Amino acid sequence: TATQQERSDLVDSLEQSLHRLLQDSDLDGIALCKLVLSSAALISPPCCKPAHVDGSGDTGNEGQDRQQTELQARLRRIFTRALSHLDLEDDATFQIVQPALERLKALLR
C-alpha cells in the first residue's frame, strides 16, 4: 500500500501530465484517455465521515482524513477535466475510456 506522500506525489504527477497535455497545440487523445483511466483507477468511492462512538464525529485521524479527501477531490478534477477534452461520440475514444466510466458508475452504486 502506498504512503500518503506517495499518493500525493502520484496525484501531482497526474496533474502535471494533464497540464502539459492541455498546453500542447495538438491534443494527444490517447494520452488523455490514459490519464482518464489512471485517475479513475485511483478514485475511491464517496463515503460519509464515520461518527465517533460518542457521536462527536472525532475519529482521531482528522489530518489524514482531510488529506485523503483533498487527494480524492484533486483526482476527480483531473478525471473530469481530462474527460471533458475528449470526444466521447467517437466510438474508438469511448471504447478506450468506457472501463473508467463503468468503474465510476460502480463506485456510485
Side-chain angles (χ1 to χ4, degrees):
T1 280
T3 67
Q4 188 70 25
Q5 185 59 50
E6 290 169 334
R7 287 190 292 266
S8 181
D9 291 346
L10 181 56
V11 174
D12 288 345
S13 175
L14 291 173
E15 286 173 331
Q16 292 167 8
S17 295
L18 177 61
H19 181 73
R20 278 193 305 275
L21 286 169
L22 297 181
Q23 294 301 313
D24 283 345
S25 57
D26 292 326
L27 196 61
D28 185 346
I30 297 298
L32 270 178
C33 287
K34 289 178 181 178
L35 196 62
V36 166
L37 293 168
S38 296
S39 58
L42 297 171
I43 292 174
S44 297
C47 62
C48 298
K49 186 174 180 177
H52 194 314
V53 176
D54 67 6
S56 68
D58 181 11
T59 62
N61 296 323
E62 296 83 15
Q64 189 174 10
D65 291 346
R66 185 177 63 253
Q67 287 177 337
Q68 181 62 19
T69 299
E70 290 170 3
L71 282 178
Q72 288 300 310
R74 290 169 58 198
L75 283 167
R76 288 177 175 96
R77 278 192 297 275
I78 293 166
F79 176 83
T80 55
R81 191 158 179 225
L83 194 64
S84 73
H85 286 84
L86 293 172
D87 178 8
L88 297 179
E89 292 186 14
D90 176 68
D91 286 337
T93 301
F94 184 78
Q95 286 179 357
I96 292 170
V97 298
Q98 188 173 13
L101 299 173
E102 292 297 325
R103 172 169 163 61
L104 289 186
K105 276 179 23 180
L107 290 175
L108 293 172
R109 289 188 189 130

